[in-house]
């Protein structure tokens, strides 16, 4: 890596404003929230993109409390999301959890404002309200901590995705393993070997003490390696998006331009 | 989805805590299961960590350290029973165990980790009970850790084993009574219900709404969320968002957009589509025919700053397995012929 030249490399995403991704976990404590925040931060910093991190958890996640540090100015606020909006230290829009939130609605509201959308869905992968996003082609980032049992549950989540949406779903799925302790207790080689040919990306996010600490996360305390890893995830999302556009073109040829 | 190693995607991995190596002999006997060969790989990969100096706090977690403690003190450490691993040797055997361990005191970690635990293993395996039967039925055990973890049961032999059994017996009898009561209650209430409802042959549940005309309850999804009934395209009519797949109309932009998509995906009628357009193109019917029959659609219309321009998402569900896609469009509408018509459709 040429980290001598640039501390922060840009993610390879052609049109960030078209990015819609959900971050899901097979188990609790898998770093879904911090990964959601991290992807939004890396996209904001690396591509100077307008991006929203959205709390899409079922039962009230803490994304807003964790990373929303400044009030949003009224010009950028979305009326329907009102008091749930804030801005992170890196300038990403943060949308907190709301009662009866329709993830697809929030997605389209923010898409209309040309924001990239990254949804923290937590463990609610199987929730009905997440399906429209996946069906609409949102990329999926499956996260797990680098521990044996949660990894097995991540496999369960992947199996469920394949069983529900077909094997193609893996082609727009990125696996992000977060190291939540300074040293790894598992060797991820067999998992990496097995998944890399199937999924759009397999990324290990290194341990970062500033994420392990409770309280508000400030992107200026994150290590370069951490942001680099998130940028790797974004690269994979960019590849997915590029593939999608090809498909869209094919669709248009097939069904005509009208609808 | 079980956490068994039957998953097709990748094998289970083993956690390694600190400098204690995983015994190699287990991997030799473990050809039946997937995870065990993987431990070999992991061991090979982690060889360098085995060479790291032993951290003072990590040592407490190794199996042999407490034995060495016992060796120096010569009597059971009062603190030792609270630790999980030292319990591998029961307190009564402690002095003896210490004597056994002595010859290996200078040996490297990996040698000491392989000192056989003969007596313990045998007593554990030869003891009756479900747990040991299960243990025998399972071919290999991945690590010796479970054995040492279960070892605390050894010193408290028959009395301890009998006591919980007796308690279990009492408890199960209690539960049998409770269960019997519940069963009687269930039978009685079932009888009451059947006598009360048996006279009327009316179906208990109202008929399900058809998919195209979703009944009003589904506008409040929270109350119907538990039903298997469709969250798919529940109609929403708000100033800022219109969702639905109904026949629409000509009286507003969103209505004509719904009518347009309805004509396209439900009626599949090129003429009907053309009638809704200011400047209909050619070959509309052929475009429609290219869409698989039975494709379901769901239109979401969002207003934009331009009152005649709409941000439209058409979610599509294609018939064989319900593969889905989305068309994102800008649709411009304009008043024409005593109503509103589609002026332009662009991909977004």
């Amino acid at each position: 890596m040429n980290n001598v030249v640039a501390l922060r490399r840009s993610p390879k995403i052609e049109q960030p404003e078209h990015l819609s991704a959900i971050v899901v976990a097979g188990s609790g404590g898998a770093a879904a929230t911090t990964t959601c925040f991290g992807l939004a931060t890396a996209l904001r910093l690396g591509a100077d993109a307008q991006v929203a991190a959205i709390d899409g958890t079922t039962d009230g996640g803490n994304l807003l409390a964790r990373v929303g540090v400044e009030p949003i100015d009224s010009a950028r606020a979305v009326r329907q999301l009102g008091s749930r909006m804030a801005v992170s230290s890196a300038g990403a829009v943060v949308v907190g959890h709301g009662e009866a939130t329709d993830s697809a609605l929030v997605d389209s509201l923010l898409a209309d404002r040309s924001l990239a959308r990254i949804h923290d869905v937590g463990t609610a992968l199987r929730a009905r309200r997440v399906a429209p996003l996946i069906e609409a082609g949102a990329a999926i980032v499956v996260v797990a901590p680098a521990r044996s049992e949660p990894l097995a549950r991540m496999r369960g989540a992947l199996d469920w995705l394949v069983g529900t949406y077909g094997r193609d779903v893996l082609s727009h799925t990125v696996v992000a393993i977060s190291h939540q302790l300074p040293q790894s207790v598992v060797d991820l080689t067999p998992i990496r070997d097995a998944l890399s040919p199937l999924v759009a990306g397999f990324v290990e996010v290194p341990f970062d003490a500033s994420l392990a600490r409770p309280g508000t996360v400030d992107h200026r305390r994150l290590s370069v390696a951490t942001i680099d890893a998130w940028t790797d995830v974004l690269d994979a999302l960019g590849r997915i998006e590029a593939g999608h556009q090809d498909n869209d073109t094919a669709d248009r040829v097939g069904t005509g331009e009208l609808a | 989805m079980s956490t068994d190693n039957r998953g097709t995607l990748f094998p289970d991995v083993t956690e390694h805590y600190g400098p204690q190596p995983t015994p190699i002999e287990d991997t030799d006997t473990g050809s039946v299961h997937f995870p065990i060969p993987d431990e070999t790989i992991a061991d090979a990969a982690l060889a360098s960590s085995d060479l790291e100096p032993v951290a003072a706090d990590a040592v407490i977690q190794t199996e042999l350290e407490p034995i060495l403690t016992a060796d120096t003190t010569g009597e059971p450490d009062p603190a030792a029973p609270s630790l999980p691993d030292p319990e591998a040797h029961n307190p009564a055997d402690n002095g003896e165990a210490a004597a056994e361990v002595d010859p290996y005191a200078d040996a490297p970690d990996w040698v000491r980790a392989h000192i056989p635990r003969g007596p313990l293993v045998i007593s554990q395996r030869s003891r009756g009970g479900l747990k040991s039967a299960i243990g025998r039925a399972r071919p290999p055990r991945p690590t010796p850790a479970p054995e040492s973890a279960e070892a605390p049961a050894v010193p408290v032999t028959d009395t301890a084993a009998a006591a919980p059994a007796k308690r279990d017996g009492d408890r199960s009898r209690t539960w049998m009574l409770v269960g019997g009561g519940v069963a009687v209650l269930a039978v009685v209430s079932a009888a009451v219900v059947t006598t009360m409802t048996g006279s009327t042959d009316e179906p208990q549940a109202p008929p399900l709404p058809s998919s195209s005309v979703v009944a009003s309850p589904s506008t409040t999804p929270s109350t119907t969320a538990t039903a298997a009934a469709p969250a798919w395209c529940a109609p929403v009519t708000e100033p800022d968002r219109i969702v639905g797949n109904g026949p629409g109309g000509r009286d507003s932009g969103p209505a004509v957009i719904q009518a347009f998509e309805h004509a396209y995906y439900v009626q599949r009628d090129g003429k009907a589509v053309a009638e809704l357009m200011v400047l209909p193109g050619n070959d509309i019917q052929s475009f429609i025919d290219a869409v698989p029959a039975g494709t379901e659609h769901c239109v979401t219309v969002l207003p934009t700053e331009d009152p005649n321009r709409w941000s439209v998402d058409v979610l599509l569900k294609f018939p064989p397995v319900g593969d889905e896609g989305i068309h994102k469009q800008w649709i411009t509408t304009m008043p024409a012929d005593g109503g509103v018509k589609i002026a332009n459709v662009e991909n977004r």
Side-chain angles (χ1 to χ4, degrees):
Chain A
M1 282 289 149
N2 52 352
N3 54 2
V4 179
V5 179
L7 276 176
R8 193 185 296 138
R9 64 187 180 80
S10 297
K12 300 182 191 71
I13 290 194
E14 290 291 319
Q15 292 172 299
E17 67 274 18
H18 288 177
L19 175 68
S20 174
I22 61 169
V23 181
V24 300
S27 63
T33 299
T34 48
T35 304
C36 174
F37 157 75
L39 296 180
T41 303
L43 188 58
R44 176 90 190 112
L45 297 177
D48 199 24
Q50 294 296 323
V51 55
I54 302 135
D55 188 338
T57 56
T58 324
D59 48 0
N62 67 343
L63 181 72
L64 189 61
R66 198 86 207 279
V67 305
V69 292
E70 293 164 28
I72 192 164
D73 69 72
S74 54
R76 295 174 78 198
V78 180
R79 189 178 56 76
Q80 292 92 328
L81 305 176
S83 58
R84 299 198 268 127
M85 294 182 83
V87 178
S88 79
S89 61
V93 172
V94 183
V95 180
H97 169 262
E99 291 300 316
T101 302
D102 179 343
S103 295
L105 167 64
V106 175
D107 193 79
S108 56
L109 285 171
L110 297 168
D112 282 349
R113 286 156 180 81
S114 297
L115 289 159
R117 288 86 61 203
I118 297 164
H119 299 261
D120 167 22
V121 175
T123 55
L125 170 61
R126 295 161 178 85
R128 189 57 211 148
R129 76 204 145 73
V130 177
L133 285 177
I134 300 178
E135 287 157 359
I140 303 167
V141 180
V142 180
V143 296
R147 297 203 325 267
S148 183
E149 198 272 347
L151 285 166
R153 292 181 69 186
M154 177 191 77
R155 183 178 58 209
L158 289 170
D159 280 336
W160 183 86
L161 277 172
V162 169
T164 308
Y165 297 100
R167 206 158 180 86
D168 276 356
V169 78
L170 294 181
S171 67
H172 60 264
T173 299
V174 182
V175 173
I177 308 296
S178 65
H179 289 276
Q180 300 183 0
L181 291 169
Q183 68 276 44
S184 179
V185 296
V186 294
D187 177 15
L188 293 169
T189 312
I191 298 181
R192 177 188 285 273
D193 290 348
L195 288 184
S196 294
L198 302 175
V199 297
F202 183 97
V203 178
E204 288 181 53
V205 181
F207 172 75
D208 192 317
S210 62
L211 292 176
R213 204 180 297 128
T216 315
V217 182
D218 185 323
H219 74 281
R220 283 159 291 202
R221 293 188 182 157
L222 295 167
S223 76
V224 173
T226 306
I227 295 180
D228 268 353
W230 288 329
T231 307
D232 289 341
V233 176
L234 291 172
D235 287 346
L237 295 178
R239 290 194 294 274
I240 295 169
E241 196 188 298
H244 259 257
Q245 277 160 5
D246 293 348
N247 289 347
D248 283 356
T249 323
D251 275 0
R252 236 173 285 150
V253 173
T255 57
E257 293 191 346
L258 286 171
Chain B
M1 301 296 149
S2 74
T3 53
D4 276 350
N5 207 39
R6 288 186 296 256
T8 54
L9 290 168
F10 57 84
D12 281 332
V13 289
T14 311
E15 297 186 359
H16 298 262
Y17 316 99
Q20 176 198 4
T22 307
I24 293 162
E25 66 267 18
D26 282 327
T27 64
D28 295 337
T29 59
S31 56
V32 186
H33 282 326
F34 271 126
I36 292 151
D38 294 328
E39 284 175 17
T40 320
I41 295 166
D43 281 348
L46 283 184
S48 61
S49 74
D50 294 341
L51 299 173
E52 284 169 13
V54 179
D57 49 347
V59 172
I60 294 171
Q61 297 188 11
T62 65
E63 292 190 18
L64 290 158
E65 182 61 16
I67 297 167
L68 293 177
T69 309
D71 191 17
T72 52
T73 57
E75 61 179 40
D77 186 346
S82 67
L83 297 169
D85 283 335
E87 294 295 293
H89 293 267
N90 65 53
D93 281 345
N94 230 351
E96 199 181 319
E100 282 170 17
V101 166
D102 240 352
Y104 297 94
D106 298 333
D109 277 354
W110 67 268
V111 169
R112 293 191 291 152
H114 291 82
I115 297 167
R117 301 280 178 95
L120 257 183
V121 173
I122 288 162
S123 66
Q124 186 73 11
R125 290 286 160 91
S126 58
R127 286 167 62 79
L130 186 59
K131 210 180 246 183
S132 70
I134 291 168
R136 264 176 270 138
R138 272 190 208 136
R141 318 212 58 172
T143 67
E147 282 157 12
S148 50
E150 287 165 22
V154 174
V156 281
T157 50
D158 291 326
T159 50
K166 195 176 171 195
R167 238 183 291 131
D168 283 352
D170 286 348
R171 201 178 297 163
S172 66
R173 216 172 302 138
T174 314
W175 280 112
M176 276 166 66
L177 285 174
V178 171
V182 170
V184 167
L185 204 64
V187 168
V188 168
S189 57
V192 168
V193 168
T194 34
T195 49
M196 286 179 73
T197 61
S199 55
T200 64
D201 286 328
E202 285 173 22
Q204 296 300 304
L208 283 174
S210 73
S211 63
S212 59
V213 188
V214 182
S216 55
S218 50
T219 51
T220 55
S222 56
T223 55
T224 55
T226 50
W232 170 256
C233 216
V236 174
T237 308
E238 290 169 3
D240 288 342
R241 174 172 174 255
I242 296 99
V243 180
N245 54 10
R250 293 277 315 276
D251 52 345
S252 70
V256 77
I257 290 168
Q258 285 209 359
F260 175 72
E261 307 290 359
H262 188 266
Y264 199 100
Y265 290 106
V266 178
Q267 296 176 290
R268 298 175 68 85
D269 182 349
K271 240 182 241 172
V273 171
E275 280 168 11
L276 293 166
M277 302 184 76
V278 177
L279 293 170
N282 300 320
D283 298 333
I284 296 175
Q285 190 61 51
S286 68
F287 291 139
I288 292 175
D289 293 341
V291 179
T295 299
E296 288 181 72
H297 80 291
C298 185
V299 191
T300 302
V301 183
L302 304 174
T304 66
E305 285 164 7
D306 179 346
N308 289 320
R309 193 170 154 89
W310 309 89
S311 168
V312 179
D313 284 357
V314 185
L315 197 56
L316 296 175
K317 218 189 245 182
F318 298 109
V321 273
D323 277 348
E324 305 204 4
I326 192 166
H327 279 297
K328 298 189 166 199
Q329 304 162 333
W330 296 115
I331 293 184
T332 309
T333 57
M334 61 181 287
D337 301 341
V340 181
K341 277 192 166 186
I342 305 283
N344 192 19
V345 180
E346 306 157 73
N347 278 308
R348 161 155 80 81

